Amino acid sequence: MDYNNHYENEFIKADRLISDGDASQGKEIIEEILSDVPDFGRAHNHLGWIFYYKLYDYARAEYHYQLAMKFEPTYGAAYLNYAYLLVDLKRLDEAKKHIKFAIETVGKPDLGSYYCELGRLYEVELDFVTSYKYYNEAKYHSYSNSFIETLRLNRERVKDKMSIFEKLKLKFI
């Protein structure tokens, strides 16, 4: 979307405030932006994040994530944040469909993160072999050393949960 420079600057200010731990002030700025520019997808994503992680209002978080994806369909963060919400709420079938859709449509820069979330999803389902496989796939699409280290720890954790027979299956994947 092509927004007025003023709103872009206000969005950057809100993003900085949120990153610095002042979600309340950031939320106010984002709500002001959205009152003037209701189709500003990135602002909806940030508002969804605040409702989800700071206010625990999952319905409103979902609403804003969906608006973010609608108004900015190439903004990967909204798809990823929505995936986190779906998995955390144990809406796993929806999460699988959503993540696969995101990978096919907008996922190229975030493939590692999407595969990591699939790993987490299958870990929640107690399908440890599939979880391990997705954590491993995430590693191949990631470039951050710290994220790769997190993936290594995720794989170790999942492997510790496996039965001996599941561990044997890893030899064939």
Side-chain angles (χ1 to χ4, degrees), residues 34-75:
L34 289 173
S35 70
D36 292 339
V37 188
D39 64 344
F40 196 144
R42 287 174 291 146
H44 280 290
N45 175 68
H46 279 46
L47 193 54
W49 185 90
I50 290 169
F51 280 121
Y52 182 37
Y53 289 104
K54 298 297 182 184
L55 300 174
Y56 309 106
D57 186 337
Y58 307 124
R60 288 172 79 183
E62 181 172 6
Y63 172 77
H64 285 286
Y65 287 149
Q66 288 176 344
L67 288 175
M69 293 180 289
K70 174 183 176 182
F71 293 130
E72 253 175 272
T74 60
Y75 185 54

Side-chain angles (χ1 to χ4, degrees), residues 1 71 115:
M1 294 285 149
F71 293 130
Y115 286 123

Side-chain angles (χ1 to χ4, degrees), residues 27-170:
K27 179 178 178 282
E28 286 182 23
I29 293 170
I30 288 172
E31 287 174 334
E32 288 174 16
I33 292 169
L34 289 173
S35 70
D36 292 339
V37 188
D39 64 344
F40 196 144
R42 287 174 291 146
H44 280 290
N45 175 68
H46 279 46
L47 193 54
W49 185 90
I50 290 169
F51 280 121
Y52 182 37
Y53 289 104
K54 298 297 182 184
L55 300 174
Y56 309 106
D57 186 337
Y58 307 124
R60 288 172 79 183
E62 181 172 6
Y63 172 77
H64 285 286
Y65 287 149
Q66 288 176 344
L67 288 175
M69 293 180 289
K70 174 183 176 182
F71 293 130
E72 253 175 272
T74 60
Y75 185 54
Y79 292 85
L80 197 53
N81 285 333
Y82 187 53
Y84 297 149
L85 174 77
L86 291 173
V87 173
D88 287 345
L89 294 178
K90 308 287 189 278
R91 292 166 48 188
L92 303 178
D93 289 335
E94 285 178 74
K96 287 175 192 175
K97 290 176 188 169
H98 170 73
I99 293 168
K100 289 177 182 180
F101 173 79
I103 287 171
E104 291 170 5
T105 57
V106 296
K108 301 308 179 222
D110 294 317
L111 278 176
S113 297
Y114 291 124
Y115 286 123
C116 180
E117 197 58 16
L118 283 169
R120 188 170 79 98
L121 185 155
Y122 282 99
E123 186 176 356
V124 169
E125 286 189 336
L126 307 179
D127 182 347
F128 300 126
V129 172
T130 304
S131 174
Y132 188 93
K133 178 183 129 193
Y134 277 117
Y135 284 138
N136 210 38
E137 184 69 21
K139 178 180 77 172
Y140 292 107
H141 296 283
S142 301
Y143 306 100
S144 162
N145 288 335
S146 62
F147 188 61
I148 290 170
E149 176 61 15
T150 298
L151 292 167
R152 184 186 67 74
L153 294 171
N154 289 349
R155 288 192 319 271
E156 283 181 19
R157 182 186 64 248
V158 167
K159 196 171 183 181
D160 286 344
K161 295 177 182 181
M162 289 181 185
S163 71
I164 189 75
F165 298 110
E166 290 171 316
K167 288 178 183 174
L168 287 172
K169 287 181 183 178
L170 294 181

